[in-house]
Amino acid sequence: MTKQKKWLLSCIAIAAFLAIVYVLEATIPKSSQWSMLFTVLEKGSIYALVAVSMNLVNGFTGLFSLGQAGFMLIGAYSYAIFTIPVAQRAAVYQYFDGGLIQFTLPVFVSILIAGIVAAVFAFLIGLPVLRLKSDYLAIATLGFAEIIRAIFQWNTLGPITNGSNLLRKFATYQSALFPIIACGICIAIICLLINSSYGRAFKAIREDEIAAEAMGINLFKHKQMSFVISSFFAGIGGALLAMFQTTIQASAFKAAMTYEFLLIVVIGGMGSVTGSIIASYLFIACREWWLRFLDSEAYIGDFKVPLLRAGFRNVVFAIIIMVIVLFYRQGIMGTREFSWEGLLRWFRNLPKNIKNLPNMFKRKRKKEAQINE
């Protein structure tokens, strides 16, 4: 298949998807049970952007960073602070005399500022911590994320951040197409970077730092570039998440949020953009929609279905994740990416694969037993 045909098919698929979302949004009422579909599409798109940005550092560059929630917090607050209308600031900053900033910026400018501010913080944080490796880097970035969260809740900075209180009344979007398109553009830019000479340098660092340095690659420069770019898009993801939630509070951006993105990256495949996108939508769909019924009690006649109660959804969700990790050690996609040839080949081989499924599991168990021996 020629490159022109691939581009044409991709453009047609994207246009068709956006058209379907537009039609569904215009026809499905917000009170319908299917309205959860838009939650999955919107939040899944935002999570996909942040997961891909994290994959740029952890999967493609081989660093182990756990500071994504902190950079999302910076982006979310930067966006919210600059888009609260001046007339509403007295109500939002009621404990801090209306706040220090008394002007409003356009939405798109504020989104860019959110990414830039997160990138500046990442640059400053990266100067000391990127000289560390492996677990030490993970602990350092996680620590900085927690410090940032504590600082943003500090009442001394209340005239800017509103302390530990909610930020609200900032600009939000009206259509589900906005986060989908915005995240799609950002992910496309990350893909262009990965396929450029800088992306090849990132992969070389991941494979072997000594060999990469021998080839003339400046290790610290490229690590810092990957870290800053990843944080820039995490900041944009934080701004979009703030728009989705309509209110933000620093206490929500805990380490558990970073672990969610790390989980998505691992399930999708370290070093696979496609895997991170697929895993993000599956993660949000399972957590927010498909398994929600498990948290409610159910009766069949007079018989109460056992186990169904608040919190049981998380138990089932954890079991599903363990099954995926057991049978897909390298994630859903591994290091592979979506391709039209691969999709056509998969459909052609589907009947044969279904028929050979029992034998495939037997070979896999036999191979794992040999490895364990």
Side-chain angles (χ1 to χ4, degrees), residues 215-233:
M215 292 167 61
I217 295 173
N218 188 322
L219 295 182
F220 182 78
K221 175 187 171 183
H222 284 85
K223 285 180 180 180
Q224 191 174 52
M225 185 186 299
S226 173
F227 189 62
V228 169
I229 293 171
S230 170
S231 303
F232 173 82
F233 287 108

Side-chain angles (χ1 to χ4, degrees), residues 41-346:
L41 290 174
E42 294 167 29
K43 198 171 182 179
S45 299
I46 296 166
Y47 268 54
L49 171 59
V50 180
V52 170
S53 71
M54 190 176 194
N55 210 345
L56 177 65
V57 173
N58 291 32
F60 288 97
T61 314
L63 305 177
F64 191 18
S65 171
L66 292 177
Q68 220 68 1
F71 298 120
M72 287 182 70
L73 183 153
I74 294 170
Y77 267 75
S78 299
Y79 171 80
I81 288 167
F82 288 116
T83 56
I84 298 172
V86 175
Q88 302 290 340
R89 288 184 180 271
V92 176
Y93 291 89
Q94 56 183 326
Y95 301 108
F96 300 99
D97 298 325
L100 183 64
I101 297 173
Q102 293 296 324
F103 60 88
T104 304
L105 295 177
V107 169
F108 290 102
V109 175
S110 299
I111 291 174
L112 284 176
I113 288 175
I116 291 168
V117 173
V120 170
F121 270 82
F123 178 81
L124 297 175
I125 292 170
L127 290 175
V129 304
L130 289 178
R131 303 184 187 281
L132 304 173
K133 293 183 180 180
S134 188
D135 299 343
Y136 300 102
L137 175 60
I139 294 168
T141 51
L142 183 62
F144 271 109
E146 290 297 301
I147 291 169
I148 288 169
R149 184 167 63 87
I151 289 173
F152 271 72
Q153 295 181 93
W154 188 25
N155 282 337
T156 303
L157 292 178
I160 300 174
T161 64
N162 207 23
S164 58
N165 305 299
L166 285 171
L167 277 180
R168 52 197 174 87
K169 297 184 182 295
F170 47 82
T172 58
Y173 55 79
Q174 302 299 319
S175 172
L177 289 174
F178 182 85
I180 294 172
I181 294 172
C183 294
I185 292 171
C186 292
I187 291 172
I189 294 171
I190 294 174
C191 289
L192 290 174
L193 174 68
I194 290 169
N195 293 318
S196 68
S197 58
Y198 293 107
R200 289 191 287 273
F202 296 157
K203 294 174 186 175
I205 293 171
R206 176 190 65 189
E207 298 301 327
D208 193 325
E209 288 192 8
I210 296 174
E213 191 172 25
M215 292 167 61
I217 295 173
N218 188 322
L219 295 182
F220 182 78
K221 175 187 171 183
H222 284 85
K223 285 180 180 180
Q224 191 174 52
M225 185 186 299
S226 173
F227 189 62
V228 169
I229 293 171
S230 170
S231 303
F232 173 82
F233 287 108
I236 291 179
L240 294 172
L241 185 63
M243 297 175 79
F244 170 78
Q245 294 180 165
T246 69
T247 62
I248 56 168
Q249 195 170 21
S251 59
F253 294 85
K254 296 179 180 178
M257 181 178 283
T258 297
Y259 299 149
E260 288 180 356
F261 294 113
L262 182 62
L263 179 65
I264 289 170
V265 171
V266 171
I267 290 174
M270 300 283 283
S272 173
V273 173
T274 310
S276 294
I277 295 170
I278 294 171
S280 297
Y281 284 109
L282 290 176
F283 179 85
I284 296 298
C286 287
R287 196 180 68 173
E288 303 285 343
W289 189 14
W290 295 342
L291 301 180
R292 187 176 288 273
F293 72 95
L294 296 173
D295 282 348
S296 303
E297 294 183 353
Y299 289 86
I300 301 175
D302 294 330
F303 175 73
K304 181 181 177 181
V305 179
L307 299 178
L308 295 186
R309 64 192 67 182
F312 186 60
R313 171 180 48 165
N314 294 329
V315 176
V316 176
F317 187 55
I319 293 171
I320 293 171
I321 290 170
M322 285 191 292
V323 170
I324 292 173
V325 171
L326 284 172
F327 288 97
Y328 294 91
R329 296 290 178 87
Q330 294 184 329
I332 296 171
M333 295 294 293
T335 57
R336 302 185 305 275
E337 299 291 355
F338 170 82
S339 68
W340 290 106
E341 293 95 337
L343 182 64
L344 293 172
R345 195 183 312 116
W346 185 82

